[in-house]
Amino acid sequence: MSDQFENLDKHTQWGIDFLERYAKFVKERLDIEQNYAKQLRNLVKKYCPKRSKDEEPRFTSCLSFYSILNELNDYAGQREVVAEDMAHKVYGELMRYSQDLKAERKHHLQEGRKAQQYLDHCWKQMDNSKRKFERECKEAEKSQVTYDRLDNDINATKSEVEKAKAQFYLRTHMADESKNEYAAQLQNFNAEQWKHFNNAIPHIFKNLQDMDERRTVKLGETYRSFAEAERRVIPIISKCLEGMVSAAKAVDERRDSSIVVESFKSGFDPPGDFPFEDFSQNLSRTGSDGTISNTPKADRDGAPAPRSDPKHPMSRTKNKLWLFGKKPKAPSLEDFSHLPPEQRRKRLQQRIDELSKELQKEMDQRDALNKMKDVYEKNPQMGDPSSLQPKISETICNMEKLRSEIHKNETWLSEVEGKQSSRGDRRHSADNHHHTPQGRESPEGSYTDDTSQEHQTPHHRSSPPQPGHPNPDPHEFDDEFDDDDPLPVIGHCKALYSFDGQNEGTLVMAEDEVLYIIEQDKGDGWTRARKQSGEEGYVPTSYVEITLEKNSKGAVTYI
């Protein structure tokens, strides 16, 4: 039986080792899932566009690829779910169960050892009583022999015989007591041994058997959980793959081609035919009219040949050859004047729509804050109305900025739409009269109406151009900054906010700083000011509180 106990000890230890080995396998498996998901997310992040959505191509092939990246990112998320389920429902469960199993096994083995030790103790007591009984019997036999010898010896004295007799009786009595004790110990040992082998040990073996069976059941459950962790996400993974297939089907080559055509449509008219330029007018004609066969008919008739007019629209086409060759790089300007007319109109209209949406949001926020302020005023226990004033002021300031931006962009849009609508009339007039002023041609191939427009451009300027960007109109600030005589002061202003003045032509100002006003806002949201140090530049009208002199004209603000 002790051999079987040792075998069960080894088997239960093997069972726990096997369970922990499976747990280690699950841990390595979920590590693979986690690393796989991490690598997939890094891959998606690597190939996701770094630019904003507005700058991204709108081609269906690009949009489909980004959809595939999104689906792959969701797929990576499902791999993370698999790893998380394996970590909690399989690996974590196995490790907790392993600790409980070790404690239970230790308890059962300790109970078995205690039962075996108690049985050994009973056997030792029985064996000691048996040995004592054996010794007492031998001593009684010796005393009997001595008594019989002295009793039959005629030379022995009576006292010796009586002493031997008493010793014989004593030893016999002690042997009888040892016999009774031995019989009692033997009976007790036999009873404990029966209990040990029929009750205690079978009960312990049954507990060990139940423990091992539960371990086997737990392994089966975790095997199933291991598979379920992945099978549970298969429907979502299938949807991700279906999304990738749908993205592939969404690729439309005709739509992409139309986007390319729309994007690069310049709005320019094709160049006209080149005129014939006759360089043979100064040659002496000594021969007949037929000697120069290639001379135009007008020359042969004596009429003067048409000369190249640098102001003629045909000669101007030479200046437009960059449309079909390498176009010079134009700087990115705020008013998009570096773009062709049609593209410039689209970009300006797009910006106006975006600014209008932002303005509507700010207006909604202002209305909501005002309503909340009214509620606080009627119910002071709900809040302090004055706490909303800074946010309301900030919202109103944002609205002023947005209105100024919208007005500025609408001004540019009206200019470009006016140029596009009148371009055909101006070109027709130029073709008929050939007196278009030299150098009046704009970068878009359109023509200004008169010379006064060039010098009035600053009245419709945007915010001053960015540093390092050339001004599209060289005359834009000539009349404002090249004057030798400083402009007179017409008022003063106090800065409500600080302004960094990073753009060319702007003026840096700090909050609460007082500046001199030397030119009013002309409707574009900018006021020209001068510091006490003499530095001049433009500041946002909405950023300052203006006070004009009594004899000066009131400032024009757009709020």
Side-chain angles (χ1 to χ4, degrees), residues 58 257-265 342-343 346:
R58 293 169 288 127
S257 297
S258 63
I259 291 175
V260 174
V261 172
E262 185 68 21
S263 299
F264 295 106
K265 185 170 63 175
E342 180 65 20
Q343 297 303 313
K346 291 180 180 179

Side-chain angles (χ1 to χ4, degrees), residues 168-430:
F168 169 66
Y169 285 154
L170 177 63
R171 289 294 180 184
T172 302
H173 178 70
M174 292 177 65
D176 290 340
E177 288 183 351
S178 298
K179 180 180 179 181
N180 293 333
E181 183 181 356
Y182 168 61
Q185 291 294 336
L186 180 61
Q187 184 179 3
N188 180 64
F189 171 74
N190 288 334
E192 293 298 333
Q193 182 177 251
W194 188 91
K195 291 179 182 178
H196 178 79
F197 288 105
N198 290 277
N199 290 332
I201 293 300
H203 180 69
I204 294 172
F205 283 178
K206 182 67 168 58
N207 289 337
L208 289 172
Q209 181 181 2
D210 292 342
M211 181 192 73
D212 194 63
E213 288 178 354
R214 280 187 276 106
R215 176 191 63 84
T216 306
V217 171
K218 177 61 69 174
L219 282 172
E221 292 176 352
T222 53
Y223 291 163
R224 188 178 300 107
S225 299
F226 179 81
E228 286 292 334
E230 187 158 3
R231 191 170 71 173
R232 194 176 297 111
V233 301
I234 287 179
I236 302 178
I237 290 178
S238 298
K239 290 183 179 179
C240 294
L241 298 176
E242 290 174 1
M244 295 182 186
V245 174
S246 299
K249 294 179 179 179
V251 176
D252 188 347
E253 69 280 2
R254 295 186 179 276
R255 183 177 177 184
D256 287 0
S257 297
S258 63
I259 291 175
V260 174
V261 172
E262 185 68 21
S263 299
F264 295 106
K265 185 170 63 175
S266 65
F268 288 107
D269 294 332
D273 296 336
F274 280 87
F276 177 80
E277 300 182 31
D278 189 4
F279 299 100
S280 62
Q281 294 179 2
N282 296 328
L283 297 178
S284 60
R285 290 173 171 79
T286 57
S288 62
D289 292 340
T291 56
I292 304 178
S293 58
N294 292 329
T295 304
K297 183 177 180 181
D299 293 345
R300 292 195 300 266
D301 295 339
R307 301 185 61 183
S308 174
D309 186 356
K311 302 170 186 174
H312 195 277
M314 294 305 173
S315 63
R316 279 198 303 269
T317 57
K318 291 187 289 184
N319 297 326
K320 297 183 186 177
L321 287 179
W322 57 266
L323 285 173
F324 305 97
K326 292 185 177 180
K327 182 178 179 180
K329 292 184 178 180
S332 178
L333 301 176
E334 187 181 8
D335 60 354
F336 302 115
S337 59
H338 61 289
L339 296 176
E342 180 65 20
Q343 297 303 313
R344 183 186 182 194
R345 184 190 65 77
K346 291 180 180 179
R347 295 295 293 274
L348 287 172
Q349 185 62 52
Q350 180 182 359
R351 182 187 288 173
I352 291 172
D353 294 341
E354 293 172 355
L355 292 172
S356 299
K357 291 180 181 178
E358 294 180 10
L359 177 60
Q360 186 61 42
K361 291 181 181 178
E362 294 292 337
M363 294 173 65
D364 294 341
Q365 184 175 1
R366 180 202 59 186
D367 295 341
L369 290 171
N370 286 330
K371 290 181 181 178
M372 189 179 297
K373 183 178 179 182
D374 293 339
V375 172
Y376 286 176
E377 290 176 349
K378 295 178 181 179
N379 302 284
Q381 67 276 9
M382 297 182 65
D384 183 12
S386 60
S387 63
L388 300 176
Q389 189 58 41
K391 188 63 178 177
I392 294 176
S393 300
E394 180 184 353
T395 305
I396 294 175
C397 180
N398 293 337
M399 290 168 55
E400 292 178 358
K401 296 178 186 177
L402 290 171
R403 286 194 178 105
S404 176
E405 287 294 323
I406 291 174
H407 176 74
K408 181 168 53 179
N409 283 274
E410 286 177 345
T411 302
W412 291 330
L413 181 61
S414 62
E415 290 178 358
V416 71
E417 288 178 346
K419 290 180 180 180
Q420 284 183 318
S421 61
S422 60
R423 184 189 303 144
D425 297 338
R426 286 195 296 270
R427 285 186 175 174
H428 180 71
S429 175

Side-chain angles (χ1 to χ4, degrees), residues 16-67:
I16 293 176
D17 293 340
F18 181 81
L19 184 140
E20 290 184 343
R21 183 184 179 192
Y22 172 63
K24 184 179 179 182
F25 160 77
V26 175
K27 180 65 169 62
E28 294 182 3
R29 173 72 173 84
L30 68 90
D31 288 341
I32 291 174
E33 285 291 345
Q34 288 178 340
N35 292 331
Y36 179 45
K38 182 178 180 181
Q39 291 176 358
L40 285 178
R41 289 197 182 277
N42 290 337
L43 181 66
V44 171
K45 184 178 180 181
K46 177 181 178 181
Y47 283 93
C48 272
K50 301 296 187 296
R51 298 173 294 180
S52 64
K53 293 183 179 180
D54 296 336
E55 298 177 353
E56 279 303 305
R58 293 169 288 127
F59 303 116
T60 57
S61 56
C62 295
L63 297 177
S64 295
F65 176 61
Y66 299 150
S67 298

